[in-house]
Amino acid sequence: LDDRMEPVLKETYGIMAYQVQVMRLAQVVGGYSLGGADLLRRAMGKKNVEEMKRQRAVFIKGAGERGVKESVATEIFDLMEKFAGYGFNKSHAAAYSYVAYQTAYLKVHHTAAFFAANLCMVMDDGDKMKALIDDARANGVDFRLPDVNVSEWFFSVPTENVIQLGLGAIKGINRALVEASESERIANGPFEDIFDFAAREEGVNFRIFESMVRAGAFDSTDADRGKLFSNISNALQGGAAVRQSAGQDSLFGGEETKTMVNWVEGEQWS
């Protein structure tokens, strides 16, 4: 629209992509100082109607003093107002583009790890977790249920296209318990069942147990969740009894006390 616009917009093919271009055009076409141009940018970004009326008159007057027709100056101002409403400053846009390029590369070439890392950041937000899990599945990633004998607190990537759900994603569970159970299974082997878990993990309570059973954290020991759920109270009582008797036996150098298993029938869950 005016020859003075070309050096400002040449690198973006005549399009106002950056806020700094809007400011520069205000300077070279409308006669603004750089400070005044920044005030104009701010008014445009905030869509301040009254201020924009005043700035339009200032711009058209300044452009006219530089030989620009009022109709052309009006058109230039309209374009500036349109692009300033959603443009970034150039340094901000460059930084965002660089990060976007890096994350796009990771999403394509290390898909499971990319999604696992993102999931670790939103473990307390179910809606964001669901959106990420849906996107990951659409990109060929498989998920494994939380597993008391495998999972860590955070999400992990056992193989290239598989994410192991972290126990930390289970509502109501606490990190101290998860880390203690992880140390216990590393030191003394995997948990055999919920009775064994209750005997070896003093910090577990009914609410945590219930959440873990519902989430499938004990499926690797027994896939019948209805039975597991019906035996939570028994497991907690048996575990407490094992710890108590183990402490007494140690006084007399007796053998290690095993978990007292007393399974009851449970309703079959669909």
Side-chain angles (χ1 to χ4, degrees):
L1 295 171
D2 186 272
D3 290 342
R4 282 164 289 201
M5 298 174 73
E6 183 176 0
V8 179
L9 302 179
K10 186 176 181 180
E11 69 171 336
T12 52
Y13 306 97
I15 303 296
M16 295 177 211
Y18 309 122
Q19 289 176 337
V20 285
Q21 290 175 315
V22 173
M23 293 170 60
R24 182 66 175 150
L25 289 176
Q27 185 186 30
V28 300
V29 177
Y32 279 68
S33 66
L34 283 177
D38 188 46
L39 294 175
L40 171 64
R41 172 203 60 77
R42 191 178 306 171
M44 287 179 168
K46 292 184 177 180
K47 297 179 173 57
N48 187 323
V49 177
E50 291 302 317
E51 179 62 17
M52 287 306 300
K53 286 181 181 178
R54 191 183 74 79
Q55 292 288 352
R56 181 183 290 271
V58 173
F59 180 85
I60 292 172
K61 181 176 181 295
E65 293 172 354
R66 283 160 181 73
V68 182
K69 292 181 180 179
E70 182 175 342
S71 60
V72 175
T74 299
E75 189 172 356
I76 293 172
F77 190 88
D78 288 342
L79 286 170
M80 289 167 57
E81 187 174 13
K82 174 184 176 182
F83 284 99
Y86 62 85
F88 287 110
N89 70 67
K90 188 175 181 180
S91 59
H92 191 82
Y96 262 65
S97 299
Y98 186 59
V99 172
Y101 179 86
Q102 289 177 314
T103 51
Y105 178 90
L106 292 171
K107 184 174 181 179
V108 171
H109 297 286
H110 303 282
T111 310
F114 169 82
F115 279 106
N118 277 278
L119 283 163
C120 288
M121 300 294 291
V122 296
M123 287 169 62
D124 58 346
D125 190 323
D127 290 337
K128 289 182 179 179
M129 280 182 58
K130 184 183 184 305
L132 283 167
I133 288 172
D134 289 345
D135 192 10
R137 284 180 171 145
N139 281 274
V141 176
D142 292 323
F143 284 85
R144 293 178 184 169
L145 291 172
D147 188 333
V148 71
N149 282 322
V150 177
S151 294
E152 304 168 5
W153 173 257
F154 289 112
F155 294 79
S156 56
V157 184
T159 60
E160 181 60 30
N161 289 313
V162 173
I163 292 177
Q164 177 71 53
L165 291 173
L167 292 171
I170 300 174
K171 187 175 182 179
I173 198 168
N174 63 76
R175 188 167 182 173
L177 173 68
V178 172
E179 292 180 345
S181 66
E182 185 179 357
S183 298
E184 170 63 25
R185 75 172 186 242
I186 291 172
N188 299 307
F191 299 102
E192 297 177 9
D193 51 38
I194 60 171
F195 283 84
D196 188 34
F197 184 79
R200 293 162 63 183
E201 286 303 322
E202 189 173 0
V204 67
N205 58 37
F206 189 93
R207 181 178 55 81
I208 293 174
F209 236 139
E210 179 182 3
S211 296
M212 293 177 73
V213 168
R214 288 185 182 278
F218 292 99
D219 280 12
S220 61
T221 68
D222 191 327
D224 188 344
R225 295 189 196 176
K227 183 180 76 173
L228 295 177
F229 188 82
S230 298
N231 281 275
I232 291 175
S233 294
N234 285 342
L236 288 169
Q237 292 172 8
V242 167
R243 287 192 299 275
Q244 184 178 12
S245 60
Q248 293 171 350
D249 288 349
S250 65
L251 294 174
F252 307 101
E255 294 183 1
E256 181 182 358
T257 304
K258 298 295 183 182
T259 311
M260 300 175 186
V261 179
N262 183 27
W263 292 99
V264 297
E265 293 297 320
E267 180 183 351
Q268 184 73 36
W269 286 5
S270 65

